[in-house]
Amino acid sequence: MASPSLMDTLFQRTLDDIIKGLRHQQAGESAFISKVVEEIRREIKSTDLHTKSIALQKLTYLNSIYFIDMSWAAFHAIECISSPNFSHKKVGYLAISMSFNESTSVILLITNQLRKDLKSNNEFEVSLALDCLSRIGTADLCRDLTPEVFTLLSSSKVFVRKKAIGVVLRVFGKYPDAVRVCFKRLVECLDGTDPQIVSAVVGVFCELASKDPRSYLPLAPEFYRILVDSRNNWVLIKVLKIFAKLAPLEPRLAKRVVEPICEHMRRTGAKSLMFECIRTVVTSFTDYESAVKLSVAKIRDFLVDDDPNLKYLGLHALSIIAPNHLWAVLENKEVVIKSLSDDDPNVKLESLRLVVAMVSESNVVEICRVLVNYSLKSDPEFCNEILGSILSKCCQNVYEIIVDFDWYVSLLGEMSRIPHCQKGEEIENQLIDIGMRVKDVRPELVRVGRDLLIDPALLGNSFLHRILSAAAWVCGEYVEFSRKPVELVEALLQPRTSLLPPSIRTVYIQSAFKILIFCLHSYLLQRENIADDMASEMLGLKSQGECSGSSALVAGKAPARQEQDEGFNPRDSNKSYEDLSIINEGDVSALLEKGFTHESIVNLLNLIELALGPLSGSPDVEVQERSKNVLGFVDLIKQEISNGFVSERASKIIDMVHDAFTEELGPVSVNAQEKVPIPDGLMLKESLADLDAICGNVQLPSSISFSMGSPFGESVGASVSIPQSKEESEPSSESTSLLAEHRKRHGLYYLPSEKNETLANDYPPANDPKSSDNTNDDAQDLVKLADKSLLPKRRSNHAKPRPVVVKLDEGDVVPFIAKKSDTRDDLLSDAVRDILLGNVAKTASSQSIISDKSSSKRKGKEKLNVDLPESREILGVEKPDLGNPSSRRSKHRSHGKEKSRKSPEKKNSDEIGDGEKEKQKSRHRHGRHKTKQRAEGPLNVAAQTPVIPDFLL
Amino acid sequence: MLLSCRWFSIEYWYLDSKPTENMIHFVLLISRQGKVRLTKWYSPYSQKERTKVIRELSGVILSRGPKLCNFVEWRGYKVVYKRYASLYFCMCIDQDDNELEVLEIIHHYVEILDRYFGSVCELDLIFNFHKAYYILDELLIAGELQESSKKTVARLIAAQDSLVESAKEQASSISNIIAQATK
């Protein structure tokens, strides 16, 4: 590259030239840019700072608008800021603040220049340096420049001072120890008379308090004064934000502050301040009835305003308040529902949230109707938002708000048919879940499932496949409620099912199999009945036979199961009586559908054979295996029932498979494992220790030898596995440890054990359908179970109209949740303990200083205490709160801050009381702790530790 | 479609982990055609993220109709935007910051620009991009509003301009250039 010449200098293109050039380029923009960058690279090397700065300015422009890399020019930017010429400096600083970041290697080179400019007499140079520091300040820079910033905090020029205050935020963030130096001055600025300064400093405190509000409680009196006195909306908004954070921590403070806030609300005409007041009240002052009432009234003004912004914010405020004061939403019901059809997606979303919040047991039907209608009219995205929120609201707390499950199930069916519906997975989960939990709804569920299955059009929509899978499962599982099982089989085997993914096809095949078994079984029963009795009595007997058939099935199960089923059976048989009586009234064709003739059975078998035949060569193993199973079964039965005669063997097989399928599937609780009693003599902990001792010697060498691949290693590996297999045969003997391990590892397999215990003589394949279903969507089933772990046994006999919903056993949930939070608490309390120790240390040290010399107290601090009578009260309350571990944030930098801030507490030291002695004792320990903590931080500032008190007082 | 969603959420997580110290995270000026006119980042974003943010946001904001509200929820943040003639002024804030206040800040900025350039238009900002930055720097520091008086900002900018002018004159005098070149 040529070095810059006089020609370059004289004929350098200015920024304007570049911009004009770019504007004239239509297509070749990038070529032009790269040409310009080439020029810049040459020009920027010029020794003439003027040329350099213009080149830099051009580069900055390209960087900010076209994102051209300018990190290579970092050093040139530094050269520019060291120019004595203000315009060069300015260009340089702009370039630096645009392009420097933590990883810029030359960043340390600017420390001295920044320091020089911070000390400059020209306030604009100072301001440039401050701006720059606020943008790029790294931990090192902030540490090195803290003294300069501190000096500027008391600058006589307001212009400089307010910028310095703004920079403090960055400095604190990067270099927490700066707090010790600057905090006091910052607090003094709160007292300032200049509104600019107060505004800036309140802004800083607002940001600081949002991180760790508790530390700033002692400053509450100052903020209170500003809240009452200030008429500057910018400042008031910030102060309100601070109080929104502080009030929940200190009820007495909230009581004091709420009235001034309401006063502002009544007085102000500025919407921004008004909104901030409203938001403060609805987030942090929800206990103050009158304040809430006032703000709800103001919210209403917002809602009816023409300005979409206010409308949106009004809705937003309502959604904040909804959990605590639902009445506020109900009062504005109309506006909210109307907003559902607003043009603005944001407004729609907010109002949807509110509408859903209003849903309760009494209005769920109406509101869901409204929502579904809206969803039909809206764009796909919002449509799915609506459906998603209906689904999640309705399944809350195990369908708490649903009374009429028949309605809900048909709503699910309806939702599935909404063209844009993409909530297949959720609907699938709920269909199956409801089927398992709510017995009374099963007939309706089967009807809904049938309608879905039978519609060939739905098979083409891949979003619905999951729902179809659930429908197929439901129809197979609860086929006894179906009027026309054969029709279901036809639906399940229709040609368009080839559109389904294999995992769902397997569900279809399995369901078809279940239905086939049901048909065969009913056919057998029917034949028996005919044999027993004469055709004239057939109808009544048949229903009875069915009834007895089902109770016979139940009888095969454990007593516990039978009990549950008894509550259910009467209804069931009633139903079938009803069905039959309807049929009796003359619908003969319906009867034919239910009753099976030999011919219809053979037809069914043929149909299945025909449909599944091709699938036995399916490339998907699951599909292939299942269809082969079914085909094998069909083949067998076909041979046995030829000529209208059913062999003994066939009916036995059918009975057994039928028994297996009618075994009711109950969801298994995720923590079912915990409910399995630990066998006597199984000592988990002890034996695990043994395990270590036993395996310690063996495993180490084995792993080594494995890596070497020596035959010896293999033999060791075998010897390790042997005890395990042995242990299985004699679990309670010596190797209980291995059993424990085994159980731990294969815990999953033990989950059903409880069930097996109660359902004594189950035929092995009983679990077959379940496990096969489970394997289909393992993950999804897990999720389902995790969400809704429940005990299949518990069933309350409420006389309520609402059907029984199998629910979580309370005992089940609580330990589960408690456990979870326990572990989190542990982590938290650990961190909190650290912080608390830090606090104690801090108070202790400040106390010692105080007691040393009362004269060392400076005016500022005394002012804090004296001017503000409330401070004592607040502080007194705050102290015990410090002991509350849960609310402390473990911010590293909060230490220093707290320290300096806490010093005003000294007057209250008497009140502190009990913890005192301990604290004083721990002072030494405490100091050590502090240094350790600091060392953990990004910078090692241990050397500064002793200096702290000086700055403070 | 799905794929892009997933990717989106990963990225969101990444952005969310950023330290958010400032009220305003960034300021964008985008023309109606989607051209960027000014970008100022108060929170750390890499160059790559910056382009992504701009692409995403201009897609969202430019497609919004004129009668809608001025707030967009975006990746857990709120973007407050306002259109003035052909330019969209956007500022990104946290969820719990005051949207109306930020709208006022935007308006404030536009008024100051207007006063400075004398009925400001997009071209003014194109050709004086650095001045737009300087004015913004007087208005905001570290993402916080620092000067709520238009007059003061105007005065400060004017003072600095004259400083720059006098420095420039001195530097660009022919004799100076020749002295430089022949050194």
Side-chain angles (χ1 to χ4, degrees):
Chain A
M1 231 184 272
S3 65
S5 64
L6 180 61
M7 290 306 277
D8 283 327
T9 311
L10 282 175
F11 299 101
Q12 183 183 24
R13 285 205 264 193
T14 65
L15 178 61
D16 274 14
D17 298 336
I18 303 281
I19 294 170
K20 275 180 197 145
L22 274 170
R23 287 175 66 77
H24 287 127
Q25 302 292 322
Q26 293 306 328
E29 208 174 54
S30 63
F32 182 78
I33 289 175
S34 56
K35 207 174 113 218
V36 172
V37 172
E38 190 109 325
E39 276 173 22
I40 291 172
R41 277 181 186 274
R42 199 153 10 100
E43 292 163 6
I44 210 164
K45 290 193 176 141
S46 157
T47 49
D48 176 23
L49 276 174
H50 184 64
T51 313
K52 194 190 276 289
S53 74
I54 286 180
L56 189 63
Q57 191 176 32
K58 289 190 285 188
L59 187 59
T60 314
Y61 175 78
L62 293 178
N63 172 264
S64 79
I65 307 295
Y66 298 95
F67 304 109
I68 303 299
D69 175 49
M70 64 178 293
S71 54
W72 54 271
F75 188 74
H76 300 290
I78 295 179
E79 283 183 315
C80 278
I81 64 166
S82 58
S83 159
N85 183 317
F86 184 70
S87 67
H88 300 162
K89 226 185 233 317
K90 215 166 175 180
V91 169
Y93 272 121
L94 180 61
I96 286 177
S97 68
M98 300 276 284
S99 65
F100 277 31
N101 56 42
E102 301 264 323
S103 57
T104 304
S105 54
V106 294
I107 197 162
L108 281 178
L109 295 179
I110 66 171
T111 315
N112 278 326
Q113 187 56 43
L114 277 177
R115 184 174 290 137
K116 210 174 124 200
D117 284 336
L118 285 175
K119 286 177 170 167
S120 161
N121 285 326
N122 183 338
E123 57 180 334
F124 295 111
E125 286 180 6
V126 180
S127 122
L128 282 179
L130 284 171
D131 274 337
C132 178
L133 187 61
S134 81
R135 266 299 291 117
I136 64 158
T138 62
D140 287 339
L141 275 178
C142 290
R143 183 195 56 212
D144 294 340
L145 296 174
T146 296
E148 279 74 26
V149 173
F150 173 73
T151 318
L152 291 175
L153 277 179
S154 50
S155 160
S156 57
K157 292 169 186 148
V158 171
F159 169 66
V160 170
R161 218 156 108 209
K162 69 171 196 241
K163 286 210 174 190
I165 293 170
V167 171
V168 158
L169 193 60
R170 173 89 183 192
V171 174
F172 282 7
K174 293 289 170 188
Y175 176 62
D177 281 305
V179 169
R180 303 203 174 83
V181 182
C182 302
F183 199 78
K184 208 187 108 240
R185 235 169 233 191
L186 209 54
V187 173
E188 281 170 359
C189 288
L190 273 177
D191 277 336
T193 46
D194 190 300
Q196 298 294 333
I197 302 292
V198 175
S199 160
V201 80
V202 167
V204 170
F205 276 116
C206 178
E207 290 302 316
L208 289 176
S210 69
K211 300 268 158 45
D212 176 26
R214 190 169 288 274
S215 307
Y216 302 91
L217 266 178
L219 291 175
E222 294 284 358
F223 297 137
Y224 180 80
R225 190 180 49 72
I226 295 172
L227 178 70
V228 176
D229 295 344
S230 176
R231 283 292 171 269
N232 180 336
N233 288 345
W234 304 101
V235 174
L236 285 173
I237 288 173
K238 298 278 182 197
V239 172
L240 284 169
K241 277 190 187 305
I242 296 174
F243 276 121
K245 293 278 174 358
L246 296 187
L249 304 174
E250 175 49 67
R252 285 200 249 171
L253 177 65
K255 212 166 140 195
R256 257 204 126 98
V257 167
V258 70
E259 199 30 55
I261 293 179
C262 291
E263 192 46 48
H264 281 304
M265 229 190 289
R266 288 188 207 104
R267 171 192 67 83
T268 186
K271 297 290 183 201
S272 54
L273 179 59
M274 172 78 80
F275 179 65
E276 199 55 48
C277 291
I278 293 173
R279 175 148 52 190
T280 310
V281 169
V282 297
T283 50
S284 305
F285 295 87
T286 46
D287 298 338
Y288 296 86
E289 203 62 37
S290 63
V292 171
K293 282 225 173 87
L294 179 62
S295 49
V296 171
K298 298 292 182 189
I299 289 175
R300 197 169 311 126
D301 293 346
F302 274 32
L303 287 178
V304 296
D305 203 291
D306 286 337
D307 185 346
N309 289 337
L310 297 185
K311 193 169 178 187
Y312 169 76
L313 292 176
L315 290 170
H316 186 65
L318 273 188
S319 69
I320 297 174
I321 205 172
N324 290 314
H325 298 275
L326 194 61
W327 57 268
V329 188
L330 292 172
E331 261 181 22
N332 298 294
K333 200 171 167 181
E334 271 174 46
V335 187
V336 169
I337 291 187
K338 229 190 261 164
S339 316
L340 269 184
S341 40
D342 201 279
D343 294 334
D344 193 334
N346 290 339
V347 172
K348 284 202 285 192
L349 217 59
E350 284 293 344
S351 70
L352 174 63
R353 281 173 208 161
L354 286 171
V355 171
V356 171
M358 282 191 285
V359 173
S360 72
E361 200 175 298
S362 52
N363 60 14
V364 60
V365 178
E366 292 80 36
I367 292 188
C368 286
R369 171 71 16 229
V370 172
L371 286 179
V372 169
N373 285 343
Y374 266 111
S375 74
L376 284 169
K377 286 184 283 182
S378 39
D379 56 303
E381 197 185 337
F382 190 59
C383 169
N384 279 299
E385 287 287 348
I386 294 180
L387 298 184
S389 48
I390 295 179
L391 288 170
S392 60
K393 180 71 186 181
C394 288
C395 77
Q396 226 171 46
N397 288 337
V398 202
Y399 311 96
E400 194 177 43
I401 54 168
I402 307 286
V403 173
D404 184 355
F405 274 90
D406 284 354
W407 161 80
Y408 184 56
V409 167
S410 53
L411 179 74
L412 286 178
E414 195 182 327
M415 281 165 40
S416 317
R417 288 165 182 276
I418 291 173
H420 300 307
C421 172
Q422 295 173 8
K423 294 285 169 191
E425 197 171 333
E426 183 57 27
I427 295 179
E428 176 200 27
N429 288 341
Q430 292 200 9
L431 282 176
I432 294 178
D433 192 46
I434 290 175
M436 289 194 289
R437 283 171 194 270
V438 192
K439 284 202 163 184
D440 291 0
V441 80
R442 285 173 191 171
E444 178 67 12
L445 202 54
V446 171
R447 196 191 61 74
V448 169
R450 171 202 165 269
D451 290 350
L452 290 173
L453 289 178
I454 227 159
D455 188 346
L458 299 182
L459 285 164
N461 182 347
S462 63
F463 289 115
L464 297 185
H465 285 169
R466 306 288 298 266
I467 302 173
L468 291 176
S469 149
W473 184 84
V474 163
C475 288
E477 188 62 23
Y478 307 117
V479 60
E480 67 263 29
F481 300 108
S482 164
R483 291 258 198 107
K484 306 176 190 169
V486 179
E487 186 188 65
L488 283 176
V489 175
E490 281 164 3
L492 287 172
L493 298 176
Q494 60 182 295
R496 270 174 73 91
T497 52
S498 59
L499 296 170
L500 292 170
S503 64
I504 289 167
R505 279 204 105 170
T506 56
V507 180
Y508 267 60
I509 295 169
Q510 188 72 13
S511 297
F513 185 43
K514 285 183 194 166
I515 297 169
L516 169 67
I517 295 294
F518 173 77
C519 294
L520 290 171
H521 186 73
S522 328
Y523 173 61
L524 287 182
L525 282 178
Q526 203 177 312
R527 281 174 55 95
E528 278 167 33
N529 290 342
I530 292 167
D532 284 355
D533 217 298
M534 279 299 91
S536 59
E537 297 274 4
M538 188 190 102
L539 286 181
L541 275 179
K542 199 195 137 243
S543 69
Q544 244 177 26
E546 220 167 66
C547 204
S548 68
S550 60
S551 62
L553 295 168
V554 174
K557 298 166 197 167
R561 278 210 68 89
Q562 202 178 348
E563 262 170 47
Q564 309 154 13
D565 284 353
E566 258 163 14
F568 173 56
N569 266 343
R571 255 199 98 142
D572 182 18
S573 51
N574 278 347
K575 270 242 158 90
S576 52
Y577 270 122
E578 271 165 32
D579 286 353
L580 288 169
S581 63
I582 292 166
I583 292 159
N584 261 341
E585 272 161 31
D587 193 348
V588 184
S589 62
L591 165 71
L592 282 176
E593 278 153 14
K594 188 98 187 179
F596 296 100
T597 63
H598 176 71
E599 199 184 4
S600 68
I601 290 294
V602 172
N603 281 343
L604 184 62
L605 291 171
N606 285 336
L607 169 71
I608 292 176
E609 208 168 26
L610 189 72
L612 293 185
L615 290 182
S616 61
S618 161
D620 187 89
V621 282
E622 282 285 326
V623 173
Q624 191 192 41
E625 190 178 349
R626 280 166 204 239
S627 48
K628 280 208 162 143
N629 285 347
V630 179
L631 284 174
F633 181 83
V634 167
D635 206 34
L636 178 81
I637 296 298
K638 249 188 163 176
Q639 289 166 13
E640 302 284 344
I641 64 165
S642 51
N643 304 327
F645 170 78
V646 182
S647 75
E648 195 67 3
R649 194 172 140 225
S651 62
K652 225 177 220 165
I653 293 174
I654 291 169
D655 267 353
M656 283 198 295
V657 182
H658 184 248
D659 281 2
F661 280 154
T662 40
E663 169 61 55
E664 191 167 326
L665 297 176
V668 181
S669 153
V670 253
N671 37 351
Q673 173 74 61
E674 286 164 23
K675 303 222 119 194
V676 180
I678 300 172
D680 288 342
L682 178 70
M683 287 171 294
L684 291 172
K685 278 186 185 166
E686 266 180 46
S687 19
L688 273 178
D690 285 352
L691 182 74
D692 275 352
I694 296 167
C695 302
N697 302 336
V698 186
Q699 269 172 349
L700 257 183
S702 81
S703 67
I704 291 164
S705 53
F706 265 132
S707 65
M708 294 170 136
S710 83
F712 171 72
E714 266 164 42
S715 68
V716 172
S719 74
V720 170
S721 68
I722 284 165
Q724 251 175 346
S725 57
K726 233 190 236 164
E727 154 266 322
E728 265 161 8
S729 57
E730 35 185 320
S732 60
S733 66
E734 9 90 32
S735 52
T736 45
S737 66
L738 291 176
L739 173 65
E741 244 242 321
H742 177 81
R743 269 186 177 257
K744 219 164 138 203
R745 196 177 315 150
H746 304 284
L748 211 65
Y749 295 118
Y750 286 91
L751 282 179
S753 75
E754 190 187 22
K755 212 176 164 189
N756 283 342
E757 277 165 39
T758 53
L759 313 175
N761 62 349
D762 264 347
Y763 190 67
N767 288 332
D768 212 10
K770 177 168 63 177
S771 57
S772 62
D773 275 325
N774 280 352
T775 47
N776 280 343
D777 321 272
D778 235 351
Q780 164 250 320
D781 267 338
L782 268 180
V783 171
K784 191 175 68 197
L785 290 178
D787 284 349
K788 301 140 191 180
S789 60
L790 56 94
L791 272 187
K793 321 248 134 98
R794 284 291 176 92
R795 215 148 295 194
S796 52
N797 287 338
H798 280 304
K800 267 193 191 171
R802 183 173 189 248
V804 178
V805 181
V806 184
K807 261 197 194 163
L808 287 171
D809 184 19
E810 245 100 33
D812 247 10
V813 193
V814 173
F816 187 60
I817 289 166
K819 232 192 175 176
K820 245 188 164 178
S821 56
D822 265 356
T823 59
R824 207 178 296 163
D825 269 351
D826 273 354
L827 286 178
L828 201 82
S829 59
D830 275 355
V832 168
R833 225 171 294 137
D834 283 354
I835 296 284
L836 278 180
L837 270 178
N839 279 338
V840 170
K842 165 202 69 205
T843 13
S845 66
S846 62
Q847 258 161 19
S848 73
I849 293 153
I850 293 149
S851 58
D852 274 359
K853 276 254 160 185
S854 61
S855 64
S856 71
K857 288 184 216 158
R858 284 262 210 83
K859 271 170 284 166
K861 221 167 274 160
E862 257 171 344
K863 217 203 295 178
L864 248 178
N865 274 345
V866 178
D867 279 358
L868 318 155
E870 299 142 27
S871 76
R872 195 168 310 171
E873 175 187 309
I874 286 158
L875 289 173
V877 182
E878 190 229 351
K879 199 67 212 175
D881 275 2
L882 279 178
N884 176 8
S886 62
S887 44
R888 281 239 138 224
R889 290 279 302 271
S890 55
K891 266 268 143 126
H892 172 78
R893 69 183 165 99
S894 66
H895 283 311
K897 247 177 279 157
E898 270 164 43
K899 186 173 220 160
S900 47
R901 153 195 63 82
K902 278 279 164 54
S903 44
E905 276 174 29
K906 57 204 156 174
K907 287 219 170 165
N908 300 334
S909 55
D910 317 28
E911 293 168 37
I912 291 168
D914 19 343
E916 193 72 67
K917 263 172 272 166
E918 242 243 280
K919 262 176 241 161
Q920 256 155 12
K921 239 188 285 168
S922 67
R923 202 189 304 164
H924 291 286
R925 217 189 328 140
H926 175 34
R928 225 184 311 139
H929 176 79
K930 236 191 292 175
T931 35
K932 195 180 99 203
Q933 274 222 336
R934 213 161 301 125
E936 279 162 17
L939 302 163
N940 192 350
V941 273
Q944 286 200 1
T945 322
V947 189
I948 299 153
D950 295 350
F951 280 125
L952 261 178
L953 293 178
Chain B
M1 163 87 199
L2 259 173
L3 218 129
S4 68
C5 281
R6 190 170 309 161
W7 158 211
F8 191 92
S9 66
I10 291 169
E11 207 178 16
Y12 165 56
W13 165 81
Y14 180 55
L15 279 177
D16 208 23
S17 68
K18 279 182 187 308
T20 54
E21 248 151 45
N22 324 308
M23 179 174 119
I24 296 168
H25 300 294
F26 54 79
V27 178
L28 293 182
L29 263 65
I30 307 172
S31 78
R32 238 170 70 76
Q33 291 79 34
K35 293 228 174 200
V36 181
R37 295 303 180 207
L38 181 145
T39 58
K40 179 92 185 174
W41 310 85
Y42 294 101
S43 298
Y45 290 87
S46 73
Q47 199 65 261
K48 234 186 197 168
E49 288 171 303
R50 292 180 185 186
T51 14
K52 208 163 283 159
V53 165
I54 290 173
R55 203 183 321 123
E56 241 170 55
L57 273 183
S58 51
V60 174
I61 289 172
L62 297 181
S63 64
R64 282 173 67 85
K67 293 253 162 122
L68 309 184
C69 73
N70 295 97
F71 319 123
V72 179
E73 285 178 43
W74 172 79
R75 295 191 189 187
Y77 295 109
K78 267 201 184 120
V79 176
V80 179
Y81 72 94
K82 186 150 173 129
R83 183 176 163 185
Y84 289 89
S86 57
L87 267 187
Y88 286 84
F89 289 70
C90 322
M91 292 189 181
C92 174
I93 55 172
D94 285 329
Q95 284 282 3
D96 56 351
D97 275 320
N98 192 319
E99 296 89 343
L100 294 174
E101 184 192 4
V102 177
L103 263 186
E104 278 178 49
I105 293 178
I106 291 178
H107 190 68
H108 202 60
Y109 181 43
V110 175
E111 277 187 336
I112 293 169
L113 288 175
D114 199 57
R115 192 175 282 206
Y116 181 79
F117 289 107
S119 83
V120 65
C121 66
E122 198 181 334
L123 272 183
D124 289 323
L125 298 185
I126 294 173
F127 283 102
N128 297 288
F129 93 104
H130 49 293
K131 297 214 165 133
Y133 278 107
Y134 297 147
I135 294 174
L136 190 61
D137 281 344
E138 291 307 324
L139 195 67
L140 301 174
I141 189 164
E144 298 284 335
L145 181 80
Q146 58 155 343
E147 183 53 73
S148 51
S149 150
K150 282 167 244 164
K151 231 185 224 161
T152 318
V153 175
R155 186 171 51 75
L156 292 171
I157 294 291
Q160 295 187 53
D161 276 352
S162 63
L163 214 58
V164 170
E165 281 315 311
S166 63
K168 251 191 200 153
E169 268 166 33
Q170 189 197 348
S172 59
S173 63
I174 277 286
S175 59
N176 199 328
I177 294 174
I178 292 170
Q180 261 292 327
T182 53
K183 193 161 48 176

